PDB file of all heavy atoms in Angstrom:
ATOM      1  N   GLU Q   1       0.803  -1.209   0.005  1.00 98.00           N
ATOM      2  CA  GLU Q   1      -0.006  -0.010  -0.012  1.00 98.00           C
ATOM      3  C   GLU Q   1       0.808   1.265   0.035  1.00 98.00           C
ATOM      4  O   GLU Q   1       0.523   2.237  -0.653  1.00 98.00           O
ATOM      5  CB  GLU Q   1      -0.996  -0.053   1.210  1.00 98.00           C
ATOM      6  CG  GLU Q   1      -2.019  -1.136   1.132  1.00 98.00           C
ATOM      7  CD  GLU Q   1      -2.757  -1.110  -0.179  1.00 98.00           C
ATOM      8  OE1 GLU Q   1      -3.228  -0.015  -0.598  1.00 98.00           O
ATOM      9  OE2 GLU Q   1      -3.032  -2.203  -0.742  1.00 98.00           O
ATOM     10  N   HIS Q   2       2.030   1.192   0.688  1.00 98.00           N
ATOM     11  CA  HIS Q   2       2.848   2.318   0.672  1.00 98.00           C
ATOM     12  C   HIS Q   2       3.492   2.557  -0.671  1.00 98.00           C
ATOM     13  O   HIS Q   2       3.608   3.733  -1.192  1.00 98.00           O
ATOM     14  CB  HIS Q   2       4.081   2.060   1.702  1.00 98.00           C
ATOM     15  CG  HIS Q   2       4.990   3.207   1.895  1.00 98.00           C
ATOM     16  ND1 HIS Q   2       5.927   3.510   1.034  1.00 98.00           N
ATOM     17  CD2 HIS Q   2       5.054   4.121   2.912  1.00 98.00           C
ATOM     18  CE1 HIS Q   2       6.542   4.590   1.459  1.00 98.00           C
ATOM     19  NE2 HIS Q   2       6.145   4.987   2.646  1.00 98.00           N
ATOM     20  N   ALA Q   3       3.844   1.485  -1.421  1.00 98.00           N
ATOM     21  CA  ALA Q   3       4.331   1.505  -2.768  1.00 98.00           C
ATOM     22  C   ALA Q   3       3.271   2.106  -3.732  1.00 98.00           C
ATOM     23  O   ALA Q   3       3.576   2.937  -4.536  1.00 98.00           O
ATOM     24  CB  ALA Q   3       4.808   0.222  -3.229  1.00 98.00           C
ATOM     25  N   LYS Q   4       2.111   1.649  -3.551  1.00 98.00           N
ATOM     26  CA  LYS Q   4       0.961   2.085  -4.452  1.00 98.00           C
ATOM     27  C   LYS Q   4       0.642   3.590  -4.241  1.00 98.00           C
ATOM     28  O   LYS Q   4       0.464   4.395  -5.179  1.00 98.00           O
ATOM     29  CB  LYS Q   4      -0.285   1.240  -4.210  1.00 98.00           C
ATOM     30  CG  LYS Q   4      -0.181  -0.161  -4.717  1.00 98.00           C
ATOM     31  CD  LYS Q   4      -1.233  -1.010  -4.185  1.00 98.00           C
ATOM     32  CE  LYS Q   4      -2.646  -0.631  -4.598  1.00 98.00           C
ATOM     33  NZ  LYS Q   4      -3.645  -1.630  -4.079  1.00 98.00           N
ATOM     34  N   LYS Q   5       0.737   3.980  -2.987  1.00 97.00           N
ATOM     35  CA  LYS Q   5       0.359   5.383  -2.589  1.00 97.00           C
ATOM     36  C   LYS Q   5       1.330   6.390  -3.266  1.00 97.00           C
ATOM     37  O   LYS Q   5       0.952   7.456  -3.698  1.00 97.00           O
ATOM     38  CB  LYS Q   5       0.404   5.567  -1.095  1.00 97.00           C
ATOM     39  CG  LYS Q   5      -0.052   6.933  -0.622  1.00 97.00           C
ATOM     40  CD  LYS Q   5      -0.091   7.009   0.874  1.00 97.00           C
ATOM     41  CE  LYS Q   5      -0.537   8.341   1.370  1.00 97.00           C
ATOM     42  NZ  LYS Q   5      -0.562   8.402   2.849  1.00 97.00           N
ATOM     43  N   ARG Q   6       2.577   5.975  -3.438  1.00 97.00           N
ATOM     44  CA  ARG Q   6       3.525   6.905  -4.038  1.00 97.00           C
ATOM     45  C   ARG Q   6       3.772   6.624  -5.500  1.00 97.00           C
ATOM     46  O   ARG Q   6       4.692   7.210  -6.153  1.00 97.00           O
ATOM     47  CB  ARG Q   6       4.917   6.825  -3.244  1.00 97.00           C
ATOM     48  CG  ARG Q   6       5.645   5.552  -3.289  1.00 97.00           C
ATOM     49  CD  ARG Q   6       6.932   5.659  -2.437  1.00 97.00           C
ATOM     50  NE  ARG Q   6       7.830   4.550  -2.698  1.00 97.00           N
ATOM     51  CZ  ARG Q   6       8.650   4.415  -3.733  1.00 97.00           C
ATOM     52  NH1 ARG Q   6       8.811   5.445  -4.584  1.00 97.00           N
ATOM     53  NH2 ARG Q   6       9.419   3.303  -3.800  1.00 97.00           N
ATOM     54  N   GLY Q   7       3.026   5.691  -6.040  1.00 97.00           N
ATOM     55  CA  GLY Q   7       3.118   5.430  -7.484  1.00 97.00           C
ATOM     56  C   GLY Q   7       4.367   4.666  -7.855  1.00 97.00           C
ATOM     57  O   GLY Q   7       4.957   4.933  -8.998  1.00 97.00           O
ATOM     58  N   ALA Q   8       4.958   3.856  -7.040  1.00 98.00           N
ATOM     59  CA  ALA Q   8       6.213   3.203  -7.290  1.00 98.00           C
ATOM     60  C   ALA Q   8       6.081   2.138  -8.395  1.00 98.00           C
ATOM     61  O   ALA Q   8       5.032   1.506  -8.489  1.00 98.00           O
ATOM     62  CB  ALA Q   8       6.744   2.591  -6.073  1.00 98.00           C
ATOM     63  N   LYS Q   9       7.099   1.977  -9.200  1.00 98.00           N
ATOM     64  CA  LYS Q   9       7.230   0.806 -10.055  1.00 98.00           C
ATOM     65  C   LYS Q   9       7.440  -0.436  -9.232  1.00 98.00           C
ATOM     66  O   LYS Q   9       8.225  -0.454  -8.320  1.00 98.00           O
ATOM     67  CB  LYS Q   9       8.409   0.963 -11.031  1.00 98.00           C
ATOM     68  CG  LYS Q   9       8.537  -0.203 -11.958  1.00 98.00           C
ATOM     69  CD  LYS Q   9       9.685  -0.022 -13.013  1.00 98.00           C
ATOM     70  CE  LYS Q   9       9.849  -1.285 -13.868  1.00 98.00           C
ATOM     71  NZ  LYS Q   9      10.953  -1.097 -14.862  1.00 98.00           N
ATOM     72  N   ILE Q  10       6.675  -1.539  -9.596  1.00 98.00           N
ATOM     73  CA  ILE Q  10       6.726  -2.799  -8.905  1.00 98.00           C
ATOM     74  C   ILE Q  10       7.375  -3.782  -9.793  1.00 98.00           C
ATOM     75  O   ILE Q  10       6.779  -4.074 -10.840  1.00 98.00           O
ATOM     76  CB  ILE Q  10       5.406  -3.209  -8.354  1.00 98.00           C
ATOM     77  CG1 ILE Q  10       4.894  -2.200  -7.278  1.00 98.00           C
ATOM     78  CG2 ILE Q  10       5.496  -4.640  -7.770  1.00 98.00           C
ATOM     79  CD1 ILE Q  10       3.460  -2.538  -6.823  1.00 98.00           C
ATOM     80  N   TYR Q  11       8.495  -4.333  -9.448  1.00 98.00           N
ATOM     81  CA  TYR Q  11       9.172  -5.399 -10.213  1.00 98.00           C
ATOM     82  C   TYR Q  11       8.605  -6.759 -10.033  1.00 98.00           C
ATOM     83  O   TYR Q  11       8.405  -7.493 -11.000  1.00 98.00           O
ATOM     84  CB  TYR Q  11      10.635  -5.466  -9.870  1.00 98.00           C
ATOM     85  CG  TYR Q  11      11.461  -4.263 -10.388  1.00 98.00           C
ATOM     86  CD1 TYR Q  11      11.748  -3.175  -9.613  1.00 98.00           C
ATOM     87  CD2 TYR Q  11      11.948  -4.229 -11.711  1.00 98.00           C
ATOM     88  CE1 TYR Q  11      12.549  -2.168 -10.020  1.00 98.00           C
ATOM     89  CE2 TYR Q  11      12.645  -3.171 -12.211  1.00 98.00           C
ATOM     90  CZ  TYR Q  11      12.943  -2.112 -11.398  1.00 98.00           C
ATOM     91  OH  TYR Q  11      13.620  -1.056 -11.860  1.00 98.00           O
ATOM     92  N   ALA Q  12       8.260  -7.056  -8.829  1.00 98.00           N
ATOM     93  CA  ALA Q  12       7.749  -8.367  -8.446  1.00 98.00           C
ATOM     94  C   ALA Q  12       7.238  -8.298  -7.030  1.00 98.00           C
ATOM     95  O   ALA Q  12       7.494  -7.336  -6.303  1.00 98.00           O
ATOM     96  CB  ALA Q  12       8.784  -9.467  -8.613  1.00 98.00           C
ATOM     97  N   GLU Q  13       6.527  -9.342  -6.615  1.00 98.00           N
ATOM     98  CA  GLU Q  13       6.067  -9.432  -5.240  1.00 98.00           C
ATOM     99  C   GLU Q  13       6.823 -10.691  -4.542  1.00 98.00           C
ATOM    100  O   GLU Q  13       6.992 -11.626  -5.197  1.00 98.00           O
ATOM    101  CB  GLU Q  13       4.593  -9.717  -5.155  1.00 98.00           C
ATOM    102  CG  GLU Q  13       4.001  -9.789  -3.714  1.00 98.00           C
ATOM    103  CD  GLU Q  13       2.514  -9.888  -3.656  1.00 98.00           C
ATOM    104  OE1 GLU Q  13       1.855  -9.979  -4.781  1.00 98.00           O
ATOM    105  OE2 GLU Q  13       1.961  -9.874  -2.569  1.00 98.00           O
ATOM    106  N   ILE Q  14       7.233 -10.421  -3.321  1.00 98.00           N
ATOM    107  CA  ILE Q  14       7.760 -11.575  -2.547  1.00 98.00           C
ATOM    108  C   ILE Q  14       6.590 -12.184  -1.819  1.00 98.00           C
ATOM    109  O   ILE Q  14       5.921 -11.431  -1.085  1.00 98.00           O
ATOM    110  CB  ILE Q  14       8.886 -11.150  -1.559  1.00 98.00           C
ATOM    111  CG1 ILE Q  14      10.049 -10.529  -2.265  1.00 98.00           C
ATOM    112  CG2 ILE Q  14       9.325 -12.380  -0.799  1.00 98.00           C
ATOM    113  CD1 ILE Q  14      11.174 -10.217  -1.260  1.00 98.00           C
ATOM    114  N   VAL Q  15       6.325 -13.455  -1.996  1.00 98.00           N
ATOM    115  CA  VAL Q  15       5.169 -14.051  -1.394  1.00 98.00           C
ATOM    116  C   VAL Q  15       5.589 -15.134  -0.406  1.00 98.00           C
ATOM    117  O   VAL Q  15       4.742 -15.533   0.432  1.00 98.00           O
ATOM    118  CB  VAL Q  15       4.256 -14.653  -2.434  1.00 98.00           C
ATOM    119  CG1 VAL Q  15       3.671 -13.448  -3.268  1.00 98.00           C
ATOM    120  CG2 VAL Q  15       4.904 -15.653  -3.360  1.00 98.00           C
ATOM    121  N   GLY Q  16       6.789 -15.713  -0.465  1.00 98.00           N
ATOM    122  CA  GLY Q  16       7.177 -16.751   0.432  1.00 98.00           C
ATOM    123  C   GLY Q  16       8.642 -16.785   0.815  1.00 98.00           C
ATOM    124  O   GLY Q  16       9.535 -16.346   0.035  1.00 98.00           O
ATOM    125  N   TYR Q  17       8.908 -17.301   2.007  1.00 98.00           N
ATOM    126  CA  TYR Q  17      10.269 -17.409   2.502  1.00 98.00           C
ATOM    127  C   TYR Q  17      10.323 -18.617   3.381  1.00 98.00           C
ATOM    128  O   TYR Q  17       9.519 -18.886   4.230  1.00 98.00           O
ATOM    129  CB  TYR Q  17      10.631 -16.162   3.317  1.00 98.00           C
ATOM    130  CG  TYR Q  17      11.853 -16.192   4.160  1.00 98.00           C
ATOM    131  CD1 TYR Q  17      13.081 -16.665   3.687  1.00 98.00           C
ATOM    132  CD2 TYR Q  17      11.782 -15.808   5.506  1.00 98.00           C
ATOM    133  CE1 TYR Q  17      14.198 -16.664   4.468  1.00 98.00           C
ATOM    134  CE2 TYR Q  17      12.908 -15.784   6.290  1.00 98.00           C
ATOM    135  CZ  TYR Q  17      14.137 -16.190   5.827  1.00 98.00           C
ATOM    136  OH  TYR Q  17      15.256 -16.189   6.577  1.00 98.00           O
ATOM    137  N   GLY Q  18      11.311 -19.518   3.130  1.00 98.00           N
ATOM    138  CA  GLY Q  18      11.522 -20.692   3.985  1.00 98.00           C
ATOM    139  C   GLY Q  18      12.944 -20.795   4.356  1.00 98.00           C
ATOM    140  O   GLY Q  18      13.869 -20.508   3.588  1.00 98.00           O
ATOM    141  N   ALA Q  19      13.223 -21.290   5.601  1.00 98.00           N
ATOM    142  CA  ALA Q  19      14.597 -21.442   6.102  1.00 98.00           C
ATOM    143  C   ALA Q  19      14.683 -22.598   6.964  1.00 98.00           C
ATOM    144  O   ALA Q  19      13.789 -22.899   7.842  1.00 98.00           O
ATOM    145  CB  ALA Q  19      15.009 -20.211   6.870  1.00 98.00           C
ATOM    146  N   THR Q  20      15.720 -23.482   6.773  1.00 98.00           N
ATOM    147  CA  THR Q  20      15.877 -24.693   7.492  1.00 98.00           C
ATOM    148  C   THR Q  20      17.371 -24.909   7.741  1.00 98.00           C
ATOM    149  O   THR Q  20      18.201 -24.187   7.173  1.00 98.00           O
ATOM    150  CB  THR Q  20      15.335 -25.911   6.800  1.00 98.00           C
ATOM    151  OG1 THR Q  20      16.060 -26.087   5.569  1.00 98.00           O
ATOM    152  CG2 THR Q  20      13.879 -25.815   6.441  1.00 98.00           C
ATOM    153  N   ALA Q  21      17.660 -25.918   8.449  1.00 98.00           N
ATOM    154  CA  ALA Q  21      19.075 -26.410   8.666  1.00 98.00           C
ATOM    155  C   ALA Q  21      19.142 -27.897   8.359  1.00 98.00           C
ATOM    156  O   ALA Q  21      18.263 -28.708   8.626  1.00 98.00           O
ATOM    157  CB  ALA Q  21      19.514 -26.156  10.114  1.00 98.00           C
ATOM    158  N   ASP Q  22      20.330 -28.279   7.723  1.00 96.00           N
ATOM    159  CA  ASP Q  22      20.609 -29.671   7.480  1.00 96.00           C
ATOM    160  C   ASP Q  22      20.859 -30.466   8.690  1.00 96.00           C
ATOM    161  O   ASP Q  22      20.588 -31.679   8.765  1.00 96.00           O
ATOM    162  CB  ASP Q  22      21.748 -29.837   6.418  1.00 96.00           C
ATOM    163  CG  ASP Q  22      21.378 -29.523   4.992  1.00 96.00           C
ATOM    164  OD1 ASP Q  22      20.182 -29.415   4.741  1.00 96.00           O
ATOM    165  OD2 ASP Q  22      22.279 -29.410   4.178  1.00 96.00           O
ATOM    166  N   ALA Q  23      21.519 -29.773   9.646  1.00 95.00           N
ATOM    167  CA  ALA Q  23      22.052 -30.479  10.839  1.00 95.00           C
ATOM    168  C   ALA Q  23      22.781 -31.749  10.524  1.00 95.00           C
ATOM    169  O   ALA Q  23      22.548 -32.870  11.005  1.00 95.00           O
ATOM    170  CB  ALA Q  23      20.789 -30.800  11.782  1.00 95.00           C
ATOM    171  N   TYR Q  24      23.664 -31.601   9.559  1.00 95.00           N
ATOM    172  CA  TYR Q  24      24.435 -32.742   9.041  1.00 95.00           C
ATOM    173  C   TYR Q  24      25.928 -32.554   8.979  1.00 95.00           C
ATOM    174  O   TYR Q  24      26.626 -33.450   9.524  1.00 95.00           O
ATOM    175  CB  TYR Q  24      23.866 -32.963   7.578  1.00 95.00           C
ATOM    176  CG  TYR Q  24      24.648 -34.008   6.816  1.00 95.00           C
ATOM    177  CD1 TYR Q  24      24.400 -35.295   7.115  1.00 95.00           C
ATOM    178  CD2 TYR Q  24      25.414 -33.692   5.763  1.00 95.00           C
ATOM    179  CE1 TYR Q  24      25.126 -36.374   6.396  1.00 95.00           C
ATOM    180  CE2 TYR Q  24      26.083 -34.662   4.956  1.00 95.00           C
ATOM    181  CZ  TYR Q  24      25.958 -36.000   5.344  1.00 95.00           C
ATOM    182  OH  TYR Q  24      26.564 -36.953   4.566  1.00 95.00           O
ATOM    183  N   HIS Q  25      26.473 -31.470   8.422  1.00 94.00           N
ATOM    184  CA  HIS Q  25      27.863 -31.383   8.216  1.00 94.00           C
ATOM    185  C   HIS Q  25      28.192 -29.892   8.090  1.00 94.00           C
ATOM    186  O   HIS Q  25      27.438 -29.124   7.633  1.00 94.00           O
ATOM    187  CB  HIS Q  25      28.390 -32.182   7.026  1.00 94.00           C
ATOM    188  CG  HIS Q  25      29.844 -32.392   6.844  1.00 94.00           C
ATOM    189  ND1 HIS Q  25      30.603 -31.428   6.192  1.00 94.00           N
ATOM    190  CD2 HIS Q  25      30.641 -33.303   7.198  1.00 94.00           C
ATOM    191  CE1 HIS Q  25      31.830 -31.830   6.129  1.00 94.00           C
ATOM    192  NE2 HIS Q  25      31.906 -32.933   6.799  1.00 94.00           N
ATOM    193  N   VAL Q  26      29.520 -29.549   8.439  1.00 93.00           N
ATOM    194  CA  VAL Q  26      29.855 -28.132   8.421  1.00 93.00           C
ATOM    195  C   VAL Q  26      30.011 -27.572   6.989  1.00 93.00           C
ATOM    196  O   VAL Q  26      29.824 -26.383   6.746  1.00 93.00           O
ATOM    197  CB  VAL Q  26      31.134 -27.822   9.228  1.00 93.00           C
ATOM    198  CG1 VAL Q  26      30.956 -28.037  10.661  1.00 93.00           C
ATOM    199  CG2 VAL Q  26      32.321 -28.679   8.720  1.00 93.00           C
ATOM    200  N   THR Q  27      30.292 -28.455   6.041  1.00 90.00           N
ATOM    201  CA  THR Q  27      30.486 -27.948   4.617  1.00 90.00           C
ATOM    202  C   THR Q  27      29.645 -28.698   3.634  1.00 90.00           C
ATOM    203  O   THR Q  27      29.185 -28.117   2.692  1.00 90.00           O
ATOM    204  CB  THR Q  27      31.937 -28.044   4.214  1.00 90.00           C
ATOM    205  OG1 THR Q  27      32.448 -29.360   4.259  1.00 90.00           O
ATOM    206  CG2 THR Q  27      32.845 -27.123   5.054  1.00 90.00           C
ATOM    207  N   ALA Q  28      29.384 -30.011   3.803  1.00 88.00           N
ATOM    208  CA  ALA Q  28      28.663 -30.782   2.853  1.00 88.00           C
ATOM    209  C   ALA Q  28      27.147 -30.698   3.104  1.00 88.00           C
ATOM    210  O   ALA Q  28      26.681 -30.763   4.246  1.00 88.00           O
ATOM    211  CB  ALA Q  28      29.031 -32.263   2.968  1.00 88.00           C
ATOM    212  N   PRO Q  29      26.331 -30.514   2.052  1.00 88.00           N
ATOM    213  CA  PRO Q  29      24.880 -30.501   2.164  1.00 88.00           C
ATOM    214  C   PRO Q  29      24.379 -31.944   2.481  1.00 88.00           C
ATOM    215  O   PRO Q  29      25.039 -32.885   2.157  1.00 88.00           O
ATOM    216  CB  PRO Q  29      24.381 -30.038   0.824  1.00 88.00           C
ATOM    217  CG  PRO Q  29      25.516 -30.310  -0.122  1.00 88.00           C
ATOM    218  CD  PRO Q  29      26.783 -30.233   0.662  1.00 88.00           C
ATOM    219  N   ALA Q  30      23.209 -32.055   2.998  1.00 88.00           N
ATOM    220  CA  ALA Q  30      22.619 -33.336   3.326  1.00 88.00           C
ATOM    221  C   ALA Q  30      22.483 -34.114   1.979  1.00 88.00           C
ATOM    222  O   ALA Q  30      21.986 -33.593   0.988  1.00 88.00           O
ATOM    223  CB  ALA Q  30      21.303 -33.252   4.006  1.00 88.00           C
ATOM    224  N   GLU Q  31      22.891 -35.371   1.953  1.00 88.00           N
ATOM    225  CA  GLU Q  31      22.978 -36.142   0.730  1.00 88.00           C
ATOM    226  C   GLU Q  31      21.625 -36.334   0.098  1.00 88.00           C
ATOM    227  O   GLU Q  31      21.537 -36.526  -1.145  1.00 88.00           O
ATOM    228  CB  GLU Q  31      23.629 -37.460   1.005  1.00 88.00           C
ATOM    229  CG  GLU Q  31      25.157 -37.276   1.386  1.00 88.00           C
ATOM    230  CD  GLU Q  31      25.838 -38.662   1.644  1.00 88.00           C
ATOM    231  OE1 GLU Q  31      25.250 -39.674   1.307  1.00 88.00           O
ATOM    232  OE2 GLU Q  31      26.921 -38.614   2.112  1.00 88.00           O
ATOM    233  N   ASP Q  32      20.524 -36.452   0.865  1.00 91.00           N
ATOM    234  CA  ASP Q  32      19.278 -36.663   0.186  1.00 91.00           C
ATOM    235  C   ASP Q  32      18.534 -35.362  -0.101  1.00 91.00           C
ATOM    236  O   ASP Q  32      17.372 -35.374  -0.644  1.00 91.00           O
ATOM    237  CB  ASP Q  32      18.344 -37.534   1.125  1.00 91.00           C
ATOM    238  CG  ASP Q  32      18.069 -36.929   2.463  1.00 91.00           C
ATOM    239  OD1 ASP Q  32      18.506 -35.799   2.760  1.00 91.00           O
ATOM    240  OD2 ASP Q  32      17.398 -37.559   3.305  1.00 91.00           O
ATOM    241  N   GLY Q  33      19.164 -34.225   0.221  1.00 94.00           N
ATOM    242  CA  GLY Q  33      18.562 -32.945  -0.089  1.00 94.00           C
ATOM    243  C   GLY Q  33      17.411 -32.566   0.789  1.00 94.00           C
ATOM    244  O   GLY Q  33      16.678 -31.634   0.464  1.00 94.00           O
ATOM    245  N   ASN Q  34      17.204 -33.238   1.850  1.00 96.00           N
ATOM    246  CA  ASN Q  34      15.843 -32.987   2.666  1.00 96.00           C
ATOM    247  C   ASN Q  34      15.832 -31.606   3.270  1.00 96.00           C
ATOM    248  O   ASN Q  34      14.715 -31.034   3.345  1.00 96.00           O
ATOM    249  CB  ASN Q  34      15.679 -34.088   3.740  1.00 96.00           C
ATOM    250  CG  ASN Q  34      16.662 -33.950   4.861  1.00 96.00           C
ATOM    251  OD1 ASN Q  34      16.513 -33.245   5.836  1.00 96.00           O
ATOM    252  ND2 ASN Q  34      17.814 -34.696   4.730  1.00 96.00           N
ATOM    253  N   GLY Q  35      16.985 -31.066   3.688  1.00 97.00           N
ATOM    254  CA  GLY Q  35      16.965 -29.771   4.282  1.00 97.00           C
ATOM    255  C   GLY Q  35      16.587 -28.657   3.348  1.00 97.00           C
ATOM    256  O   GLY Q  35      15.729 -27.820   3.575  1.00 97.00           O
ATOM    257  N   ALA Q  36      17.242 -28.682   2.188  1.00 98.00           N
ATOM    258  CA  ALA Q  36      16.982 -27.639   1.133  1.00 98.00           C
ATOM    259  C   ALA Q  36      15.508 -27.837   0.616  1.00 98.00           C
ATOM    260  O   ALA Q  36      14.886 -26.870   0.333  1.00 98.00           O
ATOM    261  CB  ALA Q  36      18.002 -27.785   0.037  1.00 98.00           C
ATOM    262  N   ALA Q  37      15.149 -29.091   0.503  1.00 98.00           N
ATOM    263  CA  ALA Q  37      13.739 -29.385   0.040  1.00 98.00           C
ATOM    264  C   ALA Q  37      12.754 -28.789   0.914  1.00 98.00           C
ATOM    265  O   ALA Q  37      11.725 -28.170   0.488  1.00 98.00           O
ATOM    266  CB  ALA Q  37      13.492 -30.820  -0.099  1.00 98.00           C
ATOM    267  N   LYS Q  38      12.913 -28.897   2.267  1.00 98.00           N
ATOM    268  CA  LYS Q  38      12.001 -28.454   3.243  1.00 98.00           C
ATOM    269  C   LYS Q  38      11.895 -26.908   3.214  1.00 98.00           C
ATOM    270  O   LYS Q  38      10.837 -26.310   3.366  1.00 98.00           O
ATOM    271  CB  LYS Q  38      12.339 -28.941   4.636  1.00 98.00           C
ATOM    272  CG  LYS Q  38      11.257 -28.676   5.692  1.00 98.00           C
ATOM    273  CD  LYS Q  38       9.956 -29.346   5.376  1.00 98.00           C
ATOM    274  CE  LYS Q  38       9.992 -30.879   5.546  1.00 98.00           C
ATOM    275  NZ  LYS Q  38       8.688 -31.478   5.367  1.00 98.00           N
ATOM    276  N   ALA Q  39      13.058 -26.236   2.996  1.00 98.00           N
ATOM    277  CA  ALA Q  39      13.028 -24.789   2.843  1.00 98.00           C
ATOM    278  C   ALA Q  39      12.200 -24.370   1.681  1.00 98.00           C
ATOM    279  O   ALA Q  39      11.436 -23.383   1.781  1.00 98.00           O
ATOM    280  CB  ALA Q  39      14.501 -24.275   2.667  1.00 98.00           C
ATOM    281  N   MET Q  40      12.303 -25.106   0.570  1.00 98.00           N
ATOM    282  CA  MET Q  40      11.469 -24.789  -0.574  1.00 98.00           C
ATOM    283  C   MET Q  40      10.006 -25.046  -0.256  1.00 98.00           C
ATOM    284  O   MET Q  40       9.119 -24.193  -0.641  1.00 98.00           O
ATOM    285  CB  MET Q  40      11.907 -25.600  -1.797  1.00 98.00           C
ATOM    286  CG  MET Q  40      13.164 -25.159  -2.468  1.00 98.00           C
ATOM    287  SD  MET Q  40      13.693 -26.129  -3.906  1.00 98.00           S
ATOM    288  CE  MET Q  40      14.880 -27.211  -3.265  1.00 98.00           C
ATOM    289  N   GLU Q  41       9.754 -26.201   0.393  1.00 98.00           N
ATOM    290  CA  GLU Q  41       8.296 -26.487   0.713  1.00 98.00           C
ATOM    291  C   GLU Q  41       7.771 -25.393   1.600  1.00 98.00           C
ATOM    292  O   GLU Q  41       6.563 -24.960   1.469  1.00 98.00           O
ATOM    293  CB  GLU Q  41       8.271 -27.818   1.409  1.00 98.00           C
ATOM    294  CG  GLU Q  41       8.574 -29.041   0.512  1.00 98.00           C
ATOM    295  CD  GLU Q  41       8.662 -30.374   1.305  1.00 98.00           C
ATOM    296  OE1 GLU Q  41       8.171 -30.363   2.431  1.00 98.00           O
ATOM    297  OE2 GLU Q  41       9.277 -31.244   0.729  1.00 98.00           O
ATOM    298  N   TYR Q  42       8.506 -24.971   2.625  1.00 98.00           N
ATOM    299  CA  TYR Q  42       8.009 -23.948   3.561  1.00 98.00           C
ATOM    300  C   TYR Q  42       7.756 -22.642   2.827  1.00 98.00           C
ATOM    301  O   TYR Q  42       6.764 -21.952   3.069  1.00 98.00           O
ATOM    302  CB  TYR Q  42       9.010 -23.712   4.675  1.00 98.00           C
ATOM    303  CG  TYR Q  42       9.075 -24.770   5.761  1.00 98.00           C
ATOM    304  CD1 TYR Q  42      10.187 -24.833   6.628  1.00 98.00           C
ATOM    305  CD2 TYR Q  42       8.047 -25.690   5.901  1.00 98.00           C
ATOM    306  CE1 TYR Q  42      10.225 -25.815   7.595  1.00 98.00           C
ATOM    307  CE2 TYR Q  42       8.109 -26.653   6.883  1.00 98.00           C
ATOM    308  CZ  TYR Q  42       9.242 -26.680   7.758  1.00 98.00           C
ATOM    309  OH  TYR Q  42       9.262 -27.678   8.778  1.00 98.00           O
ATOM    310  N   ALA Q  43       8.706 -22.285   1.883  1.00 98.00           N
ATOM    311  CA  ALA Q  43       8.554 -21.052   1.120  1.00 98.00           C
ATOM    312  C   ALA Q  43       7.266 -21.103   0.222  1.00 98.00           C
ATOM    313  O   ALA Q  43       6.541 -20.138   0.156  1.00 98.00           O
ATOM    314  CB  ALA Q  43       9.733 -20.834   0.301  1.00 98.00           C
ATOM    315  N   LEU Q  44       7.012 -22.244  -0.443  1.00 98.00           N
ATOM    316  CA  LEU Q  44       5.909 -22.308  -1.288  1.00 98.00           C
ATOM    317  C   LEU Q  44       4.632 -22.303  -0.475  1.00 98.00           C
ATOM    318  O   LEU Q  44       3.644 -21.634  -0.814  1.00 98.00           O
ATOM    319  CB  LEU Q  44       5.953 -23.701  -2.038  1.00 98.00           C
ATOM    320  CG  LEU Q  44       7.006 -23.726  -3.126  1.00 98.00           C
ATOM    321  CD1 LEU Q  44       7.185 -25.203  -3.613  1.00 98.00           C
ATOM    322  CD2 LEU Q  44       6.669 -22.823  -4.259  1.00 98.00           C
ATOM    323  N   LYS Q  45       4.601 -22.968   0.704  1.00 98.00           N
ATOM    324  CA  LYS Q  45       3.422 -22.944   1.592  1.00 98.00           C
ATOM    325  C   LYS Q  45       3.157 -21.540   2.082  1.00 98.00           C
ATOM    326  O   LYS Q  45       2.022 -21.069   2.160  1.00 98.00           O
ATOM    327  CB  LYS Q  45       3.647 -23.910   2.774  1.00 98.00           C
ATOM    328  CG  LYS Q  45       2.418 -24.005   3.708  1.00 98.00           C
ATOM    329  CD  LYS Q  45       2.690 -24.955   4.827  1.00 98.00           C
ATOM    330  CE  LYS Q  45       1.453 -25.074   5.755  1.00 98.00           C
ATOM    331  NZ  LYS Q  45       1.670 -25.994   6.866  1.00 98.00           N
ATOM    332  N   ASP Q  46       4.262 -20.874   2.468  1.00 98.00           N
ATOM    333  CA  ASP Q  46       4.129 -19.494   2.958  1.00 98.00           C
ATOM    334  C   ASP Q  46       3.456 -18.565   1.868  1.00 98.00           C
ATOM    335  O   ASP Q  46       2.729 -17.640   2.267  1.00 98.00           O
ATOM    336  CB  ASP Q  46       5.572 -18.946   3.288  1.00 98.00           C
ATOM    337  CG  ASP Q  46       5.553 -17.618   3.930  1.00 98.00           C
ATOM    338  OD1 ASP Q  46       4.703 -17.380   4.830  1.00 98.00           O
ATOM    339  OD2 ASP Q  46       6.481 -16.750   3.648  1.00 98.00           O
TER     340      ASP Q  46
END
């Protein structure tokens, strides 16, 4: 509403954000991708 009121150009809307932890290793991502997948799932649901 603040953007609309001042007539701002809108590039896109942010609609979702998801954040998780692998709780697996200091440098290697979880091998099955479950942590990153859950962040995506949370963001989509959000």
Side-chain angles (χ1 to χ4, degrees):
E1 295 306 317
H2 188 282
K4 287 165 63 176
K5 185 177 180 180
R6 66 181 190 85
K9 175 179 178 177
I10 295 173
Y11 287 99
E13 181 174 5
I14 301 186
V15 296
Y17 167 49
T20 64
D22 283 350
Y24 174 70
H25 190 273
V26 291
T27 58
E31 294 182 11
D32 61 1
N34 71 87
K38 190 61 72 174
M40 284 182 262
E41 289 172 21
Y42 285 164
L44 291 169
K45 183 178 180 181
D46 188 39

